[in-house]
Amino acid sequence: MTSSKRLTIAMQKSGRLSDDTQALLKRCGLKLNLQDRRLLAHVANMPIDIMRVRSSDIPGLVMDGVCDIGIVGDNTLEEAALERKLLGSNCEYIRTKGLNFGGCRLSLAMPEEFNYQGIESLNGLRFATTYPQLLKRYAQENNIDIDFCLLKGSVEVAPRVGLADGICDLVSTGATLEANGLKEVEVIYRSTAALIQNPTPLSGEKQEIFDTLLQRMQGVMKAKESKYIMLHAPKDKIDQVSELMPGKETPTVLPLAGRDDLVAVHVVATETFFWETMEALKALGCNSILVMPIEKMME
Ligand code: ATP
C-alpha cells in the first residue's frame, strides 16, 4: 500500500501515452527527472512519487491501492476491469477525468476484399486482438458469435498469415490498417487517456495534494484549448467585433493612448479562432490582430 504522505501516480514508462503524460505533469508544475532507469521517481518540489510501468499494469496498480492515481487509456482500463471482474479480483476504480490526449478507437477490420454486409456477416469468424474482453462484450451486446485469438502486438498481420479472419485493434488515423490491406468495418469502443483513482478515500494530506493537482490539470487542459486574442478595433464597431468573437465571449475593451477612434480588444477564446474570423475582423477595420497560446489558467 502507498504511504500516507506522498501521492503515488502510475504512468506509462514508454509508449504512446508517456510523452503527453509527462508533459501534462510538468505543466502542472511537477519537477520530474525521468531520465534515469528508476521505476519510482520522487518529484522534487511536491510530495508526489511517480511509478513508471507498462500501460497494462496501471489499472491493477490503482485498483489494488498500490498507486493512488494513474493515467491510462480507457481501452486498457476497461479491458482490465472486465478481466479482473471475471477473475474475481478487485476491479473498483473512479475515472476522475478524461484527458485531451491518447484519442483512438478500437475497431474491427477485415481484409479489403472481404464483402462486408453489416455485423451479421462477421458471424462465425475469428479475430486477432489484444482486447478479448472488450471484443466479447461487443459480440454479446450485438448478438454475434465470433471467436478470438490473443495477440499482444503486430495484430494487423494475423489475417495475412492465416491466424484470423479479421482483427480487433486500436486505430487512430487508419494508416496502419491501410498499409496492411485492411479496412475498418465497425468501431466498437472510443478511448482517450484518463485520470483514474482508487476509490478508498485518501488521507487528508494526500487529498490536498490531489486537489491541487486536479485543479492544475484542469487549468492546463483549459489553457491548451484556449487562445488569447488581442486586436485594435474601431470604437464604433465594438458590437460587431464582439459578435464575431468565438463563442461570442465578452471582450475586455481598453482605451488606446492618443487614439479616439480605436480601442484595444482582448478576449480569451475557448473555441477555434478561424482565419475567416480574422479576415472578417479586418474587413470591419480591425488591425494588429494577435492570436496567442495560453500557458496556464485559473478561474
Ligand atoms: P505498454 O507497452 O505500455 O504495455 P501498450 O501496448 O498499450 O502498452 P502503446 O502502444 O504505447 O502501449 O499504447 C498506449 C495507449 O495509447 C493505448 O492503450 C491507447 O490508449 C493509446 N493510443 C492512442 N492511439 C493509439 C493507436 N493508434 N494505437 C495504439 N494505441 C493508441
Side-chain angles (χ1 to χ4, degrees):
M1 292 296 130
T2 55
S3 96
S4 63
K5 295 219 163 86
R6 295 181 73 86
L7 188 78
T8 316
I9 309 177
M11 66 168 272
Q12 189 188 29
K13 186 169 193 291
S14 66
R16 288 173 193 265
L17 298 181
S18 53
D19 285 353
D20 283 329
T21 304
Q22 201 173 318
L24 173 65
L25 296 177
K26 280 191 172 165
R27 293 189 77 187
C28 287
L30 277 67
K31 285 217 166 85
L32 301 171
N33 177 12
L34 303 182
Q35 302 309 329
D36 58 34
R37 289 162 173 262
R38 271 182 303 173
L39 287 183
L40 194 66
H42 279 258
V43 173
N45 59 337
M46 285 173 88
I48 294 177
D49 292 333
I50 309 280
M51 197 182 266
R52 294 188 298 153
V53 292
R54 297 284 304 256
S55 241
S56 48
D57 290 334
I58 296 173
L61 287 170
V62 174
M63 290 166 190
D64 290 337
V66 178
C67 295
D68 302 302
I69 64 176
I71 293 177
V72 67
D74 284 318
N75 52 304
T76 309
L77 177 64
E78 191 83 6
E79 178 70 22
L82 290 170
E83 190 182 316
R84 288 172 73 97
K85 192 171 179 196
L86 207 67
L87 296 171
S89 311
N90 190 354
C91 59
E92 301 296 316
Y93 64 91
I94 299 169
R95 185 184 185 277
T96 321
K97 191 170 177 47
L99 303 171
N100 54 359
F101 59 86
C104 58
R105 52 197 191 269
L106 184 64
S107 290
L108 299 179
M110 299 300 296
E112 263 152 19
E113 61 281 7
F114 181 79
N115 179 20
Y116 184 68
Q117 306 269 337
I119 51 173
E120 302 75 36
S121 53
L122 303 178
N123 251 318
L125 300 185
R126 183 177 162 88
F127 288 81
T129 190
T130 313
Y131 300 94
Q133 303 305 331
L134 287 170
L135 178 58
K136 272 197 261 177
R137 185 174 71 181
Y138 176 82
Q140 271 163 14
E141 285 171 0
N142 288 278
N143 287 320
I144 50 169
D145 184 21
I146 54 178
D147 193 12
F148 72 87
C149 65
L150 186 65
L151 276 187
K152 292 282 184 189
S154 306
V155 175
E156 56 285 337
V157 300
R160 226 184 311 147
V161 297
L163 201 59
D165 301 293
I167 68 165
C168 170
D169 201 14
L170 294 173
V171 183
S172 42
T173 63
T176 311
L177 290 183
E178 207 179 310
N180 285 283
L182 298 166
K183 63 180 175 195
E184 192 173 358
V185 295
E186 293 291 335
V187 175
I188 75 166
Y189 189 80
R190 290 192 187 273
S191 172
T192 64
L195 175 70
I196 58 167
Q197 68 181 104
N198 183 280
T200 312
L202 293 166
S203 67
E205 281 151 309
K206 280 204 214 178
Q207 187 63 48
E208 238 175 76
I209 309 162
F210 185 52
D211 290 344
T212 304
L213 185 65
L214 199 58
Q215 191 180 44
R216 290 186 185 183
M217 272 188 191
Q218 263 145 3
V220 168
M221 284 172 63
K222 192 131 194 250
K224 200 171 163 189
E225 289 152 12
S226 306
K227 295 277 178 284
Y228 196 80
I229 300 164
M230 289 182 5
L231 52 95
H232 293 169
K235 213 172 183 173
D236 56 352
K237 298 275 172 56
I238 286 302
D239 288 347
Q240 286 146 282
V241 169
S242 302
E243 268 297 298
L244 282 172
M245 286 303 163
K248 306 221 168 12
E249 271 145 289
T250 322
T252 305
V253 180
L254 304 160
L256 268 178
R259 296 294 297 257
D260 286 339
D261 54 336
L262 283 181
V263 284
V265 176
H266 292 198
V267 68
V268 173
T270 48
E271 289 177 15
T272 314
F273 194 62
F274 294 105
W275 279 106
E276 288 77 2
T277 313
M278 291 178 80
E279 285 150 8
L281 287 166
K282 184 109 186 117
L284 276 178
C286 299
N287 59 42
S288 307
I289 308 169
L290 298 180
V291 182
M292 291 168 292
I294 297 174
E295 201 182 291
K296 296 185 182 80
M297 274 173 103
M298 197 179 276
E299 292 187 327

